[in-house]
């Protein structure tokens, strides 16, 4: 058999061709959505027990954390590939616009003003503005707050909703954070705390508060929690919606609700259907 002589140039060309083929194989694998060795940045709250909380040991817990972890898994990322990014309420739209995070799950209520800046998947939870009171409190309806001390965070629309339309004689106490409001409720400095029932339930479910507080069960507003995505990223919105539907159908959504809110006796609404916004 006659052998062809391989020149140095031919050998170099062969090496380059093999290298290109190998690289092409890696790219194809990355397109499967497996996540590969990459990480995904997800925005959550770091200071809301039951919703999104950074624990003392550096781990994260809460309903939004469970939802985001499930969604990321469906997008091809394992829990150790998730990089949690704190996104405070005022920073959420900016974080998405800059690409700081891929999506945000942070008690992010869907409304028209926000929809002008970001796209939403979901909703994945229907919450309501409510009151948290002591377990032995006789506050049962909004008007019972007249003459009582009501706590919320500075600039809260929840507190304004109560004092403007429900109990104009309520004595509003504005603190820097909900943790301070809850401490005030425990000490007797305030008679009630108001914000979304899911957030209140998360605080009440903490071990140090178990049995001390109760939700009044008032539905003072409808808060449709959605997952925020950069404006125009329809492909990611569709993938997240599919993931949320799967989370509900396989029972993981119910489990997450019970794990994070159950100890507070939170009477949650059924899982909302994708696109079903309750006004």
């Amino acid at each position: 058999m006659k052998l062809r002589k391989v020149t140095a140039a031919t050998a170099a060309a062969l090496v380059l061709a093999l290298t290109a083929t190998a690289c092409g194989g890696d790219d194809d694998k990355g397109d499967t959505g497996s996540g590969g060795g990459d990480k995904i940045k997800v925005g959550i709250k770091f200071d809301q027990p039951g919703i999104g909380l950074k624990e003392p040991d550096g781990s994260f817990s809460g309903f939004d954390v469970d939802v985001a972890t499930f969604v990321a898994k469906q997008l091809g990322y394992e829990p150790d590939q998730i990089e949690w990014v704190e996104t405070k309420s005022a920073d959420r739209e900016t974080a998405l616009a800059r690409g700081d995070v891929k999506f945000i799950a942070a008690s992010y209520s869907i409304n028209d003003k926000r929809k002008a800046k970001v796209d939403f998947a979901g909703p994945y939870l229907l919450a309501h503005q409510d009151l948290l009171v002591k377990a032995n409190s006789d506050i049962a309806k909004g008007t019972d707050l007249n003459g009582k001390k009501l706590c919320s965070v500075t600039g809260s629309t929840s507190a304004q909703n109560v004092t403007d339309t429900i109990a104009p004689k309520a004595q509003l106490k504005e603190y820097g954070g909900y943790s301070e409001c809850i401490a005030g409720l425990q000490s007797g400095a305030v008679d009630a705390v108001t914000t979304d029932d899911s957030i209140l339930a998360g605080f009440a479910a903490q071990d140090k508060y178990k049995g001390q507080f109760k939700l009044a069960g008032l539905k003072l507003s409808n808060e449709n929690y959605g997952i925020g995505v950069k404006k125009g990223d329809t492909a990611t919105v569709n993938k997240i919606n599919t993931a949320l539907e799967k989370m509900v159908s396989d029972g993981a959504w119910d489990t997450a609700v019970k794990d994070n809110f159950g100890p507070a006796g939170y009477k949650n609404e059924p899982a909302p259907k994708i696109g079903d916004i309750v006004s």
Side-chain angles (χ1 to χ4, degrees):
M1 181 172 66
K2 185 176 180 181
L3 297 176
R4 289 191 301 169
K5 185 177 180 180
V6 179
T7 65
T10 303
L14 179 61
V15 170
L16 287 173
L18 290 173
T19 301
T21 302
C23 291
D26 288 342
D27 288 343
D28 291 342
K29 183 178 179 180
D31 289 341
T32 64
S34 63
D38 298 332
K39 286 187 175 289
I40 184 171
K41 293 184 178 181
V42 179
I44 59 169
K45 293 290 183 66
F46 277 22
D47 59 353
Q48 289 184 344
I51 298 288
L53 181 69
K54 185 175 183 179
E55 301 284 1
D57 64 0
S59 63
F60 296 89
S61 66
F63 181 71
D64 282 351
V65 174
D66 290 347
V67 170
T69 300
F70 189 97
V71 167
K73 174 74 172 178
Q74 300 305 304
L75 295 181
Y77 297 89
E78 296 298 327
D80 62 359
Q81 292 178 284
I82 301 173
E83 182 178 334
W84 300 110
V85 179
E86 182 176 21
T87 48
K88 297 181 179 180
S89 296
D91 301 331
R92 291 178 294 204
E93 286 83 21
T94 302
L96 287 170
R98 286 193 310 228
D100 295 343
V101 294
K102 185 65 173 178
F103 65 84
I104 292 176
S107 54
Y108 204 178
S109 298
I110 301 171
N111 60 39
D112 290 339
K113 182 178 179 180
R114 290 169 179 164
K115 285 166 67 176
K117 299 178 180 179
V118 303
D119 286 338
F120 283 98
Y124 63 92
L125 182 73
L126 174 59
H128 305 285
Q129 183 185 343
D130 200 359
L131 304 174
L132 189 70
V133 297
K134 282 192 171 181
N136 61 355
S137 174
D138 59 358
I139 296 175
K141 56 185 183 296
T143 53
D144 291 338
L145 289 170
N146 282 311
K148 302 287 188 180
K149 298 183 180 74
L150 172 67
C151 188
S152 195
V153 298
T154 302
S156 166
T157 56
S158 298
Q160 208 65 43
N161 183 34
V162 172
T163 55
D164 284 354
T165 63
I166 300 170
K169 295 183 180 179
Q171 301 171 34
L172 181 59
K173 303 288 184 180
E174 292 184 300
Y175 292 169
Y178 288 113
S179 295
E180 297 171 59
C181 282
I182 301 299
L185 182 61
Q186 185 182 39
S187 69
V190 299
D191 301 301
V193 181
T194 188
T195 187
D196 297 356
D197 52 9
S198 57
I199 296 173
L200 296 173
F203 276 105
Q206 289 184 289
D207 288 338
K208 61 183 176 180
Y209 295 134
K210 281 183 180 177
Q212 296 185 43
F213 307 132
K214 66 180 180 181
L215 290 162
L218 308 182
K219 297 181 179 180
L220 303 177
S221 71
N222 295 318
E223 307 296 335
N224 300 274
Y225 287 4
I227 293 182
V229 176
K230 187 175 183 178
K231 191 70 177 174
D233 190 357
T234 305
T236 298
V237 170
N238 291 338
K239 290 177 182 177
I240 293 176
N241 279 337
T242 299
L244 292 174
E245 289 172 343
K246 179 176 174 57
M247 187 176 187
V248 172
S249 66
D250 71 7
W253 187 91
D254 285 320
T255 298
V257 168
K258 291 174 184 177
D259 287 348
N260 292 291
F261 305 131
Y266 178 54
K267 295 179 175 61
N268 63 282
E269 298 279 3
K273 293 181 180 179
I274 299 302
D276 187 11
I277 307 298
V278 179
S279 59

